[in-house]
Amino acid sequence: MEEPEREQKIPEKLKIMLIGGSAALVFYIVFATNGTQNVYLHLIYIPIILSAYFWGIKGGLSVAILAGILAGPFMPLNISEGIRQSTGNWITRLIILGIVGSITGALFQKIEKLNNEIHRRGLISPLTGIYNINKLLGDLKKKIDKGDKFKIISIKLTNLVGVGKYVEHKFAETVIKELITELERGYGRDALYSFGEDEIIVIDRTGRGNLKTIENVLEKYSTAVQIENITFRVSLKVGVYEYEGGSETPVQVFNKARIAYEQGEEFESGIYYYLSQLEDRKREFFEISGSLLESISRDELYLVYQPKIDLSDNTISDVEALIRWDRGDRKPVAPDVFVKIAEDIGFIKELSKFVLRNATDQMVKWEKMGIEIGCSINITARELLDDDFNEWAKREIAGKKIDRSTIEIEITERVVSSGNKKILDILHAMRGNGYKVSIDDFGTGYNSLMTIGEIPFDFLKIDKYFIDRIGRREIRELVKNIINYAHGLNKEIVAEGVETEDELHVLRELECDRVQGYYYSKPLLPEEFETFYFEFLGAKG
Ligand code: C2E
Ligand code: MG
Ligand code: MG
């Protein structure tokens, strides 16, 4: 590993002038005070010690010898009386000066070495033994100031910390050390820096342009690694940023490589390049998440209701409650986007409570107006698994004396197909308590008709994707089979996103039970729905 540079404060020329000048001054004083017999010769220690400070043993010893000789045969003991020095005298003095020069030089060298060590340790990560973030930021600054172009690569082992904490610390340590060895082969040890316990940064100075080493590393870790008796699959996310010059701070450059790897799934290995849109997206995420937290207290959330039509008797069977966010002048955000963000930031429980409270209030109001219909509510896996939320919901519904069979929960196929046994148990229990269960977005999850039989439900909502393509024979056949299968199990089918008469016609032929979509109505505000409801009733009647 290269020695860290020490700051050279005094230029070499100045040092020489200083030593030469001070030595000359001493000799002049000695000469002017009548020779080496006086104490003034001791002043010669000043340039010797200075020189030992500047150049260590070498410097101290050479100035000592030079001074010893100049103040020896060339300098009389007493000038006015012309008394010369005895050889034994000046040689002994030369030896003493030499010893002092060497010892002081050695001491200064030792101090410098200790200093360097302290400095070096501040730049090395004790966990990995390679450079740390301090050194990285320093090196980046130098490169940016010089106008170099380079690639910065950040490699994050996304599941390593968990392994280290919960499985075996030695394992995590071994993985990171092996990774460093691999990277060292491609980039050299001086190009590697570690950040935290699970991240390695590389400044690619090779100028090769390709990422062969990184690709090899990803290849190596694409299968499970075995260390002692633990087998584990390490996931590596690699972020790459190519610095092309321009005014950026070291921290900004470093962050861009880290922003890059935030793309893709958290535990999915891969190489990701920095794109400027990523930062915009992230900024937007923080803006949305910040204001989302305040949306309820600012009264910005509200519900709309989309009717579902029962095709068997052409009635409005129920409505789906859908959330909306009125952001005023700010950019609108679609519900699927902010619902996902609410999940990420732990706001989903409040959001779901808001929906359930408002939808059930609305049901009570409508019942009083003679609108007796069911209402479905979208629920995420988190609420379903949250005992506290379930207790709260039970009390809320019981308190309003709502018939439980008019409440339907919509849970996406992705959630139920995750195979979580607890989710299936909860769905069973809910049906046992009289609630209805819908599998939303059916066809977009990972289910097969083989496993759907294991899931407790009342309705399958076929995703809009299939309805849009129902004109195609192979899709029509698929939908027909799904419908027949569900009917065989005494379940019902709801078609989502029905927009045209043609779609409706095909769905009727296939004996689909219910439809929901713009063909009949968009999601409506309560008053709009009331008008729709009575007009629909009137048209029928
Ligand atoms: P989803 O539960 O599948 O809701 C159906 C979506 O399809 C709604 O979008 C609805 O407005 C839209 N839609 C219905 N018919 C048509 C049609 O004919 N054409 C087109 N193009 N679209 C149609 P929306 O309201 O934007 O909601 C999107 C997703 O956001 C929902 O999909 C649901 O997953 C989620 N979401 C909405 N409200 C809530 C909520 O209160 N809680 C939770 N957890 N999720 C919600
Ligand atoms: Mg839904
Ligand atoms: Mg859906």
Side-chain angles (χ1 to χ4, degrees):
M1 197 172 285
E2 73 187 35
E3 269 289 296
E5 286 169 36
R6 283 194 62 228
E7 279 182 31
Q8 211 70 50
K9 285 194 193 93
I10 310 169
E12 215 65 359
K13 239 192 197 155
L14 189 65
K15 288 180 189 168
I16 294 171
M17 277 165 61
L18 203 65
I19 306 281
S22 59
L25 185 66
V26 171
F27 286 120
Y28 172 75
I29 293 170
V30 173
F31 201 84
T33 55
N34 210 18
T36 56
Q37 65 189 346
N38 283 319
V39 289
Y40 295 112
L41 188 58
H42 289 298
L43 288 172
I44 203 67
Y45 285 117
I46 294 173
I48 293 173
I49 291 170
L50 265 180
S51 175
Y53 173 66
F54 292 148
W55 299 293
I57 302 179
K58 247 185 341 207
L61 188 61
S62 37
V63 172
I65 292 173
L66 210 65
I69 292 171
L70 289 175
F74 300 104
M75 178 82 73
L77 195 63
N78 185 307
I79 294 164
S80 51
E81 290 174 23
I83 305 169
R84 309 219 57 83
Q85 307 186 54
S86 74
T87 315
N89 184 42
W90 70 258
I91 286 184
T92 311
R93 189 169 56 220
L94 185 141
I95 291 169
I96 294 170
L97 291 181
I99 291 171
V100 172
S102 312
I103 291 177
T104 7
L107 285 175
F108 280 128
Q109 273 180 359
K110 177 89 186 154
I111 293 170
E112 182 171 352
K113 211 166 146 204
L114 287 175
N115 239 340
N116 278 345
E117 183 57 22
I118 291 167
H119 183 64
R120 202 180 65 84
R121 281 200 198 150
L123 302 175
I124 297 286
S125 152
L127 285 173
T128 55
I130 56 173
Y131 287 139
N132 65 13
I133 178 87
N134 295 338
K135 174 80 167 132
L136 173 72
L137 294 178
D139 287 356
L140 283 175
K141 179 158 176 12
K142 275 185 221 153
K143 293 186 86 55
I144 293 169
D145 288 348
K146 262 203 286 181
D148 282 358
K149 290 180 180 170
F150 57 89
K151 208 182 280 159
I152 172 163
I153 306 164
S154 178
I155 304 154
K156 170 98 172 170
L157 294 103
T158 46
N159 55 0
L160 199 65
V161 172
V163 178
K165 234 188 283 181
Y166 301 111
V167 187
E168 172 65 65
H169 187 68
K170 276 280 293 284
F171 180 85
E173 234 177 74
T174 312
V175 169
I176 204 117
K177 294 241 158 92
E178 275 187 8
L179 174 66
I180 290 171
T181 312
E182 297 281 330
L183 293 170
E184 204 178 328
R185 254 178 242 145
Y187 298 102
R189 200 170 173 87
D190 285 346
L192 310 182
Y193 306 81
S194 74
F195 182 58
E197 293 169 64
D198 58 353
E199 198 165 342
I200 306 286
I201 321 288
V202 181
I203 299 185
D204 183 3
R205 308 170 168 100
T206 60
R208 275 200 301 265
N210 64 35
L211 291 171
K212 202 88 211 109
T213 308
I214 302 285
E215 282 162 11
N216 290 343
V217 167
L218 283 179
E219 170 77 31
K220 181 178 164 185
Y221 288 106
S222 62
T223 50
V225 275
Q226 165 116 32
I227 296 175
E228 286 167 19
N229 54 353
I230 302 171
T231 312
F232 187 74
R233 182 138 182 255
V234 182
S235 56
L236 287 117
K237 292 195 69 186
V238 182
V240 182
Y241 173 56
E242 303 203 24
Y243 174 74
E244 300 277 351
S247 62
E248 282 180 50
T249 66
V251 174
Q252 280 170 331
V253 170
F254 169 51
N255 268 342
K256 284 184 175 173
R258 305 188 72 225
I259 288 171
Y261 72 57
E262 282 178 13
Q263 298 168 90
E265 293 293 321
E266 189 180 353
F267 298 118
E268 203 175 296
S269 298
I271 301 178
Y272 304 89
Y273 284 84
Y274 172 82
L275 303 163
S276 58
Q277 301 94 288
L278 286 174
E279 259 183 284
D280 297 342
R281 237 182 284 158
K282 256 290 122 31
R283 243 192 302 271
E284 199 171 276
F285 172 84
F286 287 116
E287 191 278 314
I288 294 173
S289 51
S291 50
L292 187 58
L293 292 173
E294 296 174 347
S295 59
I296 293 183
S297 59
R298 290 180 179 207
D299 217 7
E300 290 169 353
L301 296 182
Y302 63 97
L303 296 180
V304 286
Y305 300 87
Q306 188 176 32
K308 295 181 204 166
I309 310 297
D310 187 333
L311 295 182
S312 69
D313 55 3
N314 203 32
T315 52
I316 300 171
S317 52
D318 56 333
V319 288
E320 176 174 7
L322 294 160
I323 194 149
R324 293 291 178 265
W325 184 9
D326 176 6
R327 292 185 18 106
D329 297 337
R330 291 164 298 167
K331 201 171 148 198
V333 185
D336 40 352
V337 175
F338 70 79
V339 165
K340 174 81 189 50
I341 294 177
E343 283 186 84
D344 291 345
I345 63 172
F347 184 64
I348 190 71
K349 190 161 158 181
E350 272 141 281
L351 189 141
S352 297
K353 281 186 174 180
F354 173 88
V355 174
L356 190 85
R357 190 185 302 120
N358 281 271
T360 47
D361 280 347
Q362 191 60 60
M363 287 172 82
V364 172
K365 266 187 222 159
W366 279 338
E367 199 190 342
K368 284 184 187 145
M369 292 172 67
I371 303 177
E372 283 186 41
I373 47 159
C375 180
S376 65
I377 289 162
N378 295 282
I379 290 284
T380 66
R382 209 174 298 223
E383 275 61 67
L384 209 58
L385 291 169
D386 182 341
D387 294 336
D388 177 59
F389 177 83
N390 289 333
E391 278 306 311
W392 174 87
K394 234 188 262 171
R395 265 181 287 146
E396 187 75 15
I397 293 164
K400 292 175 188 169
K401 300 195 171 53
I402 297 173
D403 174 3
R404 287 201 285 263
S405 70
T406 58
I407 295 181
E408 180 181 320
I409 68 142
E410 293 198 9
I411 182 110
T412 63
E413 188 197 10
R414 253 180 294 268
V415 168
V416 287
S417 61
S418 67
N420 185 323
K421 172 107 177 23
K422 187 153 184 232
I423 289 187
L424 300 186
D425 288 346
I426 291 170
L427 294 179
H428 258 302
M430 294 198 78
R431 291 191 70 225
N433 285 330
Y435 297 102
K436 295 272 188 289
V437 173
S438 267
I439 309 299
D440 205 351
D441 304 344
F442 187 74
T444 61
Y446 320 105
N447 243 305
S448 71
L449 288 178
M450 309 256 287
T451 52
I452 192 75
E454 293 161 19
I455 298 166
F457 71 93
D458 299 279
F459 299 98
L460 274 191
K461 293 188 81 178
I462 301 183
D463 195 75
K464 181 173 186 305
Y465 176 91
F466 300 94
I467 310 305
D468 286 347
R469 292 162 182 76
I470 205 148
R472 298 213 321 238
R473 210 172 70 89
E474 66 279 14
I475 301 282
R476 195 164 52 237
E477 279 303 308
L478 190 70
V479 173
K480 186 172 142 189
N481 281 315
I482 296 172
I483 295 176
N484 287 342
Y485 180 83
H487 286 171
L489 295 174
N490 277 333
K491 315 282 183 188
E492 291 190 37
I493 294 283
V494 182
E496 290 192 279
V498 179
E499 292 183 346
T500 68
E501 177 121 41
D502 288 346
E503 288 165 4
L504 181 69
H505 182 72
V506 177
L507 288 163
R508 267 191 207 281
E509 272 192 349
L510 298 181
E511 294 178 8
C512 175
D513 303 283
R514 296 178 181 187
V515 294
Q516 174 184 354
Y518 294 174
Y519 176 74
Y520 282 105
S521 171
K522 289 195 170 190
L524 302 168
L525 288 169
E527 317 78 73
E528 291 172 335
F529 174 73
E530 288 151 22
T531 312
F532 177 87
Y533 180 87
F534 290 116
E535 273 177 9
F536 198 89
L537 214 59
K540 217 192 135 207

